[in-house]
Amino acid sequence: MWNTLLGEGTIGQTLLTAWIAKENLRNLLALARTGAGRHQVGHARWKFLTWCADSDIPEVRQLAVTVDRWWAEIAAFIDTGHSNAKSEGINRVIKLVARNAFGLRNADNQRLRTRCVTTRRARGHLRTAQL
């Protein structure tokens, strides 16, 4: 893949630079739940940030700025292996369903609709009386 991208000229080199930045970030995040020490995490972070800083791509540099800005939260995820991704995903779906159900006049129907969308496993077992 590398040789093919390098053969494409400037566009290929840009794609390869962005791909390597993405892989460096994935390697950094993969240290979660591995018991990696501070030195190993710091080295992976340094590798990612210096790669992004040395690139001439504004989007890659902005990715590094964003990761650096959120470093405290990312470090907590790497240390503990826990994140709030599931609750954030459910909140996003609830807001989307609420937006789509804006025309519902019956609050019970809107609540039932939200509950059905966010509890897919129990969808067949949900009754209005349970709300």
Side-chain angles (χ1 to χ4, degrees), residues 38-108:
R38 287 181 63 189
H39 178 71
Q40 188 177 3
V41 172
H43 178 70
R45 180 183 180 204
W46 174 83
K47 186 176 178 182
F48 167 72
L49 291 176
T50 54
W51 178 265
C52 293
D54 291 343
S55 75
D56 293 331
I57 306 168
E59 292 84 357
V60 173
R61 288 185 176 180
Q62 186 59 45
L63 176 63
V65 168
T66 302
V67 168
D68 197 45
R69 187 176 299 138
W70 284 88
W71 180 247
E73 291 81 3
I74 294 170
F77 166 69
I78 291 172
D79 288 342
T80 64
H82 297 290
S83 77
N84 65 343
K86 195 170 195 175
S87 63
E88 289 292 333
I90 289 173
N91 285 338
R92 182 190 60 81
V93 170
I94 288 171
K95 288 178 183 178
L96 179 66
V97 170
R99 241 182 276 130
N100 290 339
F102 184 77
L104 290 177
R105 294 182 182 157
N106 185 341
D108 291 334

Side-chain angles (χ1 to χ4, degrees), residues 3 24-25 35 40 45 67 72 90 102 104 113 117 119-120:
N3 292 335
N24 285 338
L25 181 58
Q40 188 177 3
R45 180 183 180 204
V67 168
I90 289 173
F102 184 77
L104 290 177
R113 189 175 193 182
V117 169
T119 56
R120 289 194 172 118

